[in-house]
Amino acid sequence: IGGGVHAVATLRPVCGRAGAVHGLLLKVQKGVPGPCHCKQLCIDHIAEGCVSWKWRVPAQPNTAAACYLQSTVASWDGEDCETGDWISGDTGLRLLAAEPAMVVAGEPFDLKVHGWALPATTSQRQSTADRQRVRLVKAATRQGARGDLCVDAGNPPEVS
């Protein structure tokens, strides 16, 4: 456009990793075209208990495969001769809600965050629940106005 210099980037989402997650089978869905679709199916079934998924690479190109939704993670087999045709993963971090929704200025409160795959380990070597941070910002001032809450809207004023 206008003789300027342009760059084109092609982004390919990566879902899961090679190898098979073994766990308690929750559901099998046939005809799933790829691992990202399989991950989304697991996310869609979180309420039914899905925590991990595995998708087998089809033997023939351009064919859909089955997606295995699981309610546990029992073990993980890395890529090798027996499991190299599997791609597996979990739902990833999912925030569902936070309480309280409203607080009184100057009054202390306890914040509860609800979700899936939140850090919960007590190990000193890993990211632990007590080392997590939450950023509190003022709510939008107009009904339906969300621009001041967007990530790319810059830093909001500090809440004190």
Side-chain angles (χ1 to χ4, degrees):
I1 301 174
V5 177
H6 305 285
V8 175
T10 301
L11 303 174
R12 298 192 195 307
V14 177
C15 299
R17 64 181 201 194
V21 170
H22 300 285
L24 187 61
L25 184 63
L26 186 67
K27 180 179 182 176
V28 177
Q29 179 72 45
K30 294 185 179 185
V32 177
C36 290
H37 293 86
C38 190
K39 177 179 180 175
Q40 185 61 51
L41 278 172
C42 190
I43 292 167
D44 293 345
H45 289 85
I46 283 177
E48 289 87 30
C50 190
V51 298
S52 66
W53 55 270
K54 61 183 177 184
W55 180 82
R56 188 169 219 152
V57 177
Q60 298 176 357
N62 300 321
T63 59
C67 173
Y68 298 80
L69 305 181
Q70 301 171 138
S71 61
T72 59
V73 175
S75 65
W76 178 275
D77 289 335
E79 185 176 6
D80 61 25
C81 294
E82 294 180 23
T83 61
D85 57 347
W86 287 97
I87 298 175
S88 303
D90 60 22
T91 62
L93 182 117
R94 299 282 160 204
L95 299 177
L96 302 176
E99 307 175 8
M102 301 284 281
V103 296
V104 176
E107 294 291 321
F109 65 94
D110 290 327
L111 179 66
K112 293 181 182 179
V113 178
H114 303 274
W116 295 97
L118 296 172
T121 182
T122 57
S123 168
Q124 292 295 324
R125 296 182 184 163
Q126 297 177 6
S127 177
T128 61
D130 58 347
R131 293 185 190 160
Q132 301 305 304
R133 296 181 288 168
V134 175
R135 185 177 194 175
L136 303 176
V137 297
K138 291 182 181 179
T141 54
R142 298 181 318 275
Q143 180 71 18
R146 297 201 43 88
D148 53 349
L149 299 177
C150 295
V151 173
D152 59 357
N155 290 331
E158 184 177 325
V159 175
S160 56

